[in-house]
Amino acid sequence: MTLLQTLTDSARNLAVRSPWIYRINAGSCNGCDVECATTALIPRYDVERLGCQYCGSPRHADIVLITGPLTAHIKDDVLRVFAEIPDPKVTVAVGVCPISGGIFRESYAVHAQVDQYLPVDVNVPGCPPRPQAIIEGVAQAIAIWRQRI
Amino acid sequence: MLDTTTIPLAVLMFPGGLFALAFGLALKGLDRRVAARLQGRIGPPLAQPFFDLVKLARKRTMVPDIAAEPVFLGAPLIGTVSMLLAAALVPIPGVYAPNPMLGDLLVLLYLLAVPAVVLMIAGSASGSPFGAIGFSREMALMLAYEGPLVLVVAAVALRTGSFSLSDIIAYQQTHGAFLFDPVMWPALLAFLAFYPANLGIVPFDIPEAETEVLEGPLLEYSGPALGLFKMMSALKAVVVLGLGVALFFPSAPDGAAGLLVHLAKLVVMMLVGVTLLRVSMGRMRIDQAFSFFLRWPLALSLLSLAIVAAA
Amino acid sequence: MNFLRIFARNLLRGPSTVPFPFGPAWTPARMRGRVQFKLSSCTGCRACEQVCAPGAIRFDKTPEGLRFMMWHNTCVFCGMCEFYCPTDAIHQSDDWHMAHAVGEKYGMAIREVIPYTACTGCGMKTLASAPNPIGVVPPFTPEEVEQQRNQCPACRKKALAERGTPS
């Protein structure tokens, strides 16, 4: 039993070093998406050293970055894509739009706040947040993910 | 000579199996690390592919509603097993010669085609339109690069007079490596164009292009099934690079030093042929890749076959 | 072949990645981050509420006083409130460490109450003027300021009319 426990713990410690990131654009203005892409792509804020990898498919994802205020038009698609992501997963809301609606709050065309529909774990406010802030949010998400994997 | 007791050991432990898997994962990690350094980044730790595998093993595998479940889940298993067998078929000069009972170069050629076929099956069984696009692209690319490979192998076999990899290595050890033989240079060039395509890296990763078709056939895979595909791809790197070493440059001392020299050759092939190519080129379109392979590598391999036949 | 030169340069110089999650991060001097509110400087003019595009700043009347509320989770960090604040009561610091767990979502707010006092003239409930308005020089002597601080606008108007033109 203790051997099994030790094995599980060490497997968890190894697995937590490979969080793959998937981005969902829930009707964002693209500002936060640009910052997310910056975080991933430019050498200055290399997230790959945390083991993160941007993946193209929701089925490969561990950490989900949601941007945008969940517009009425895209709501059903976002919920469908989110359901495709296998557990365990951690959700990060990037920018003020998914958190509260931001500048679009109380508009007839948006369904913000996103956490009414999806289990959000970490919020990163900003319009858009700077890349370091996104990395900080991802680091907090990894800490949460450690308990789930 | 026909002792079959060492075959399970060869498939599961030393040249194939655990050893090839560990080395393949290390090669992938090195590739990612060096690519990051070339781009001015720090990059992931060397053991990152290993972490990814552990992570994938702990996740859930989701099967889409419209997928053909037995085929969908069986495809990665078939691919991994075929690559395990293939890894046991590749000799390590001076250290390991495959048991003739296991097969020869022709069997290896067939096994090398299996991962591409498995990806096609996986893409079509997943029922996703992106998988179907990946299927068609994988098919086109495979048609393009398998021809030059077969012709290269035929040229080498014609030169040495045997389809057994052990004989090919023995021939090169007495007559000098084909790397330094001008007659074989067209074949060598054709092989250099072939192996990046077979390993599916950037200029030729058209079937799995994640920015275009969302990783194509792998789109619907998650958890342990995806991990099997990652294992297959790591094993394939060892097999394809090992085949290249056996075909063109098998000179190596005996014993442990021979093993080290072999691994060093694989690392050099990975860094030059894969990492440098990957970070310095953009992705081709499928028609560009198709016409490239049907033009240069095919011409080179036909030329080499003609030269070898004449020489 | 220019890219080969770039590769060689990258290999020789080493990575240009900042050490951020494991080390300190550089912050620009004029970074607009977390909002700070100085209760002692606020006169309750509500200019910030007027100019706040996403409606992150809200004033409402409570029995204790005028309540200032500002929620970082809907603020777009445009800096208009700071620009228009006549008494520098609102200021954007360069603190951008605002990522938080979702449970603390409504804790990312500022809630301050500017208390009501009784007017020294008529005894009505009124807002005390700010004890420390920065960057504003009223055309009064310090004694006059102290005298008028706790007066309601009507009583203040009356006192000024009785006093005549400001000296």
Side-chain angles (χ1 to χ4, degrees):
Chain A
M1 192 59 209
T2 47
L3 180 71
L4 191 70
Q5 196 72 41
T6 324
L7 274 179
T8 317
D9 282 354
S10 52
R12 173 177 295 138
N13 285 337
L14 293 178
V16 84
R17 300 181 65 175
S18 154
W20 289 358
I21 296 181
Y22 180 68
R23 279 183 289 144
I24 297 180
N25 182 329
S28 159
C29 69
N30 242 329
C32 297
D33 295 298
V34 168
E35 296 295 326
C36 287
T38 307
T39 320
L41 296 180
I42 72 169
R44 196 174 159 82
Y45 312 111
D46 174 28
V47 285
E48 213 180 354
R49 77 204 136 124
L50 301 174
C52 298
Q53 195 180 4
Y54 273 72
C55 45
S57 157
R59 301 242 188 229
H60 304 176
D62 303 311
I63 291 180
V64 194
L65 306 183
I66 295 188
T67 57
L70 197 64
T71 52
H73 188 65
I74 204 114
K75 191 187 104 191
D76 292 342
D77 297 330
V78 167
L79 297 184
R80 236 178 80 196
V81 168
F82 192 81
E84 301 284 309
I85 301 170
D87 292 326
K89 59 193 167 199
V90 180
T91 316
V92 182
V94 174
V96 292
C97 289
I99 305 174
S100 67
I103 197 98
F104 308 109
R105 204 176 53 167
E106 290 155 21
S107 159
Y108 64 91
V110 306
H111 284 272
Q113 314 163 2
V114 169
D115 61 2
Q116 297 173 32
Y117 300 96
L118 308 173
V120 176
D121 295 295
V122 177
N123 287 339
V124 184
C127 187
R130 63 188 309 220
Q132 285 100 325
I134 297 178
I135 295 178
E136 201 176 60
V138 168
Q140 290 189 10
I142 292 174
I144 293 175
W145 194 52
R146 179 183 286 274
Q147 290 146 21
R148 297 201 181 154
I149 182 80
Chain B
M1 187 67 189
L2 292 180
D3 179 20
T4 54
T5 51
T6 56
I7 288 182
L9 195 69
V11 172
L12 292 176
M13 289 303 293
F14 169 54
L18 283 179
F19 174 78
L21 182 62
F23 188 63
L25 291 176
L27 272 183
K28 293 256 167 191
L30 188 72
D31 166 52
R32 279 176 70 178
R33 181 91 178 169
V34 174
R37 284 301 165 108
L38 287 173
Q39 292 167 345
R41 297 184 287 127
I42 290 178
L46 274 184
Q48 187 61 45
F50 180 63
F51 300 151
D52 292 350
L53 269 192
V54 175
K55 193 273 307 278
L56 288 173
R58 292 181 68 86
K59 294 271 286 190
R60 246 177 75 201
T61 293
M62 293 172 96
V63 182
D65 294 341
I66 49 170
E69 190 170 338
V71 184
F72 183 79
L73 294 178
L77 206 61
I78 296 172
T80 312
V81 169
S82 76
M83 277 300 105
L84 279 177
L85 284 175
L89 275 174
V90 177
I92 300 175
V95 181
Y96 167 78
N99 192 320
M101 284 289 283
L102 206 54
D104 56 6
L105 192 49
L106 285 178
V107 178
L108 188 57
L109 275 186
Y110 280 112
L111 285 176
L112 264 185
V114 170
V117 175
V118 155
L119 277 178
M120 289 183 222
I121 294 173
S124 56
S126 66
S128 143
F130 290 111
I133 298 172
F135 168 87
S136 70
R137 290 180 172 194
E138 184 80 54
M139 175 95 89
L141 195 64
M142 184 185 158
L143 284 178
Y145 69 61
E146 282 292 313
L149 173 69
V150 172
L151 289 174
V152 164
V153 169
V156 172
L158 195 61
R159 181 83 170 156
T160 55
S162 167
F163 264 116
S164 158
L165 276 168
S166 307
D167 292 347
I168 290 171
I169 290 171
Y171 181 91
Q172 294 187 61
Q173 270 160 354
T174 47
H175 294 79
F178 286 156
L179 184 63
F180 309 111
D181 184 356
V183 176
M184 296 306 291
W185 282 350
L188 179 66
L189 286 178
F191 187 82
L192 287 182
F194 151 78
Y195 81 79
N198 195 348
L199 296 183
I201 55 118
V202 153
F204 308 117
D205 73 338
I206 310 144
E208 287 117 52
E210 63 171 48
T211 41
E212 293 168 24
V213 291
L214 308 175
E215 310 189 18
L218 300 182
L219 170 71
E220 295 287 351
Y221 280 92
S222 58
L226 182 63
L228 280 177
F229 272 118
K230 299 276 169 198
M231 277 164 73
M232 179 182 93
S233 130
L235 286 168
K236 193 162 81 170
V238 175
V239 170
V240 173
L241 300 181
L243 177 68
V245 169
L247 286 184
F248 292 102
F249 189 42
S251 327
D254 281 342
L259 184 62
L260 285 180
V261 169
H262 182 76
L263 297 187
K265 281 178 198 162
L266 260 55
V267 166
V268 170
M269 282 179 81
M270 190 77 183
L271 291 186
V272 176
V274 173
T275 312
L276 198 60
L277 191 69
R278 181 162 91 87
V279 296
S280 56
M281 287 187 74
R283 185 178 302 125
M284 285 181 172
R285 286 198 316 266
I286 185 67
D287 58 315
Q288 288 170 330
F290 197 72
S291 57
F292 168 78
F293 273 103
L294 289 191
R295 197 170 296 146
W296 297 108
L298 194 65
L300 283 168
S301 50
L302 280 174
L303 176 71
S304 89
L305 199 62
I307 299 175
V308 169
Chain C
M1 290 292 115
N2 193 24
F3 61 90
L4 287 179
R5 243 192 5 254
I6 295 173
F7 290 159
R9 199 189 59 201
N10 283 342
L11 282 181
L12 288 178
R13 284 205 195 147
S16 56
T17 307
V18 292
F20 165 60
F22 311 111
W26 175 77
T27 308
R30 293 174 63 191
M31 171 87 201
R32 296 196 304 261
R34 190 188 287 269
V35 170
Q36 285 168 344
F37 177 69
K38 264 181 284 186
L39 181 63
S40 62
S41 305
C42 181
T43 56
C45 70
R46 299 173 77 157
C48 46
E49 187 188 25
Q50 279 288 317
V51 297
C52 185
I57 295 177
R58 212 168 75 194
F59 282 92
D60 47 15
K61 288 173 179 162
T62 64
E64 293 80 40
L66 187 64
R67 186 168 63 170
F68 169 89
M69 281 203 298
M70 187 267 154
W71 192 25
H72 285 102
N73 274 337
T74 193
C75 172
V76 295
F77 304 94
C78 59
M80 294 289 267
C81 47
E82 183 181 355
F83 183 82
Y84 279 104
C85 183
T87 57
D88 281 1
I90 208 161
H91 170 66
Q92 279 196 290
S93 64
D94 61 357
D95 173 20
W96 48 269
H97 298 275
M98 281 185 288
H100 56 276
V102 79
E104 301 157 30
K105 182 174 168 182
Y106 295 106
M108 295 294 290
I110 302 173
R111 295 183 188 84
E112 300 268 18
V113 177
I114 308 166
Y116 285 132
T117 52
C119 172
T120 47
C122 58
M124 256 177 62
K125 212 162 64 166
T126 183
L127 272 188
S129 73
N132 183 27
I134 300 166
V136 179
V137 186
F140 304 122
T141 61
E143 296 81 48
E144 279 172 330
V145 170
E146 278 308 311
Q147 198 187 349
Q148 289 170 16
R149 165 148 297 143
N150 291 333
Q151 284 182 342
C152 69
C155 293
R156 204 177 289 168
K157 208 188 258 171
K158 213 165 100 191
L160 285 177
E162 282 163 4
R163 194 196 60 170
T165 47
S167 51

